[in-house]
Structure formats: C-alpha cells, structure tokens
Amino acid sequence: MNGRSDGAFGARVSIDGVQKRYDGAEGPVQALDDVSFDVSDGEFVCIVGSSGCGKTTLFRIIAGLESATEGDVLLNGTRVDGPTPDTGVVFQEYHLFPWRTVRGNVGFGLENSDGDAERRRRVGELVDLVGLDGFGDSYPKDLSGGMKQRVAIARALAVDPDLLLMDEPFGAVDAQTREMLQRELLDIWTETGKTVLFVTHDVEEALKLADRIVVLSKSPGHIREVLDVDLERPRSRSDPEFGAHYERVLDLIRE
C-alpha cells in the first residue's frame, strides 16, 4: 500500500519509490521495493516489521548513510544525498565519546557554529530537557544505559534538526527503563514539536508512540499498510482499542 497522503506536497519528509538492491553471492538481492510514504511536519511516525524486512536499510537511506538503487528521499523538498545537519540521528548503540562529559557530548555538533556563551546556554537547556540536570560533568562510563541514550537524544537535538530519526533507540535497555524513556521522548516531542521517524520491532512501543505506523513486509521489503493510531495519549495495553490496534499490526506483520 502506498502511504502517500493528500498533503504530500507539504510533507516534511517524502520517501518516493525507494528501492534497494545488493549484489549477493547468487545474484542481486532486492532488499526494498517501491517504498513510498510521507511524514508531515511535527508528526510522529513509527516503522515496524519483522526481522529482514529492510527497516534498518530504509533508516540508513533516509539518514543519507546509504544510497537507494532507485527512488528519492526528500527533506523539506530537497533530495537527501548524504548526512545532513537537518536530520538528527539516534542509534540503538549510544556512540558517545568516552573522553567527553555529558555536556561535551551534547555540544559536539555546535563547536564550529556557535559562540561560547550561546553554546553553553543551548547545551544546558538540552541537558535539562532530557532530565540530566546535575550530570553535566559526568562521563559516559558513569552513566546507566538510559542516561546514555538521553545524552544521545540531546546531542541529536543540539543543532535543531528538522527531523529526528531514531533506529531502535531503546532496544538495549531493560523494560522498565524503556517505558520511562518512551514517556520522556513523548514529552520532548511535545515540547519541541519535532518531526520524528522512529524504527522499532516492538509493536507495543510503536502503538504507544506513533501518530501513524508504517508496516513493512519482507521478501523484498515493501509497505504492507500505513495505519492511523487514533488513540488518546497516554496509551495503555489494557485499553481494548489499544489491543485491537495491536492485533491488527501483528496480523499485518504475520501476513
């Protein structure tokens, strides 16, 4: 199913006919086939699907870390040909600089663009936004997994990107920390108004977070359906409507 909406012309992000082929030992392998959908300004969209459906490949193409074989990714109407400061990227692995403090990590992307006073103000604002006030002088080795991921989110937000692109960002933390980070991410999204594209294998996580869910199927990776999640936040698995959405997404993935 094509996820393109009537408001595609004004989309913050547009994925248009993206295909990806690799050269395999036994010939070309089609990883993605004709993937098209849009993400509106300020929208929170999750991409879900089973292992091998091409979620991470699509993420890397949208982030400009990999090229599509065919098709385009447009951000604010401009073709994405490589990494851009207009996109803040958060991975499952934290990728923090161990020799830098929390403030040093958060402010890394600002070092060549802001004066010292403005950089300190911006970093302090972000450290507070992600709930790490009082830990600015701490090093990554002294932080829990959840705290490290908060630093990674703050660093991605530091340059005020148009798109926050996240690949399984809470996959490496325990269930309790994961739920806490989900709530905090929604708070950050509400406060900043950022456009968020979030890749996850966890259907429950997608339903708790997303305005819409893009369901990918594999062999090759393609859009099975794009679902609106018309539930009030905060959302609970105990809600019958939540359960109905959950079963629908699972059915689509299994099909």
Side-chain angles (χ1 to χ4, degrees), residues 21-159:
R21 289 186 296 274
Y22 295 101
D23 293 326
E26 300 179 2
V29 175
Q30 188 82 23
L32 294 171
D33 183 35
D34 194 22
V35 175
S36 297
F37 65 96
D38 298 305
V39 184
S40 299
D41 190 15
E43 191 176 20
F44 200 128
V45 172
C46 285
I47 301 173
V48 302
S50 59
S51 296
C53 72
K55 297 189 300 295
T56 295
T57 299
L58 181 59
F59 170 91
R60 291 181 58 81
I61 291 172
I62 296 170
L65 300 172
E66 196 167 325
S67 298
T69 307
E70 295 180 35
D72 294 303
V73 175
L74 303 177
L75 178 59
N76 300 325
T78 300
R79 190 173 188 268
V80 176
D81 290 318
T84 165
D86 293 330
T87 299
V89 181
V90 181
F91 299 94
Q92 179 173 332
E93 298 300 325
Y94 317 115
H95 297 300
L96 301 182
F97 301 116
W99 60 89
R100 285 176 172 256
T101 63
V102 167
R103 278 196 289 262
N105 272 283
V106 172
F108 174 73
L110 301 174
E111 292 182 349
N112 296 321
S113 59
D114 291 59
D116 289 343
E118 173 60 21
R119 183 168 62 247
R120 285 195 297 269
R121 184 201 65 77
R122 177 69 174 157
V123 168
E125 180 181 79
L126 287 165
V127 168
D128 183 59
L129 178 67
V130 299
L132 289 176
D133 188 33
F135 292 91
D137 294 325
S138 299
Y139 288 88
K141 66 181 178 62
D142 300 317
L143 305 177
S144 67
M147 295 169 77
K148 290 176 184 176
Q149 198 56 288
R150 289 193 193 103
V151 176
I153 293 170
R155 183 175 62 187
L157 290 170
V159 294

Side-chain angles (χ1 to χ4, degrees), residues 45 86-90 152-153 156-157 161-166 185 188-189 192 194-198:
V45 172
D86 293 330
T87 299
V89 181
V90 181
I153 293 170
L157 290 170
D162 293 324
L163 171 67
L164 185 60
L165 186 58
M166 311 180 81
L185 177 60
I188 291 168
W189 171 64
T192 63
K194 292 297 178 187
T195 305
V196 180
L197 192 52
F198 186 107

Side-chain angles (χ1 to χ4, degrees), residues 198-253:
F198 186 107
V199 177
T200 179
H201 71 278
D202 188 326
V203 174
E204 182 173 345
E205 178 170 67
L207 283 168
K208 286 181 176 179
L209 296 175
D211 294 318
R212 288 188 300 140
I213 297 176
V214 177
V215 182
L216 292 184
S217 294
K218 59 183 179 180
S219 301
H222 62 281
I223 292 181
R224 182 72 178 84
E225 195 164 320
V226 180
L227 299 173
D228 291 321
V229 186
D230 50 353
L231 302 174
E232 292 291 328
R233 296 183 178 91
R235 299 166 180 165
S236 170
R237 180 72 185 273
S238 62
D239 180 353
E241 289 189 55
F242 187 102
H245 280 74
Y246 183 88
E247 292 302 324
R248 174 61 177 155
V249 176
L250 279 186
D251 286 345
L252 288 169
I253 292 174

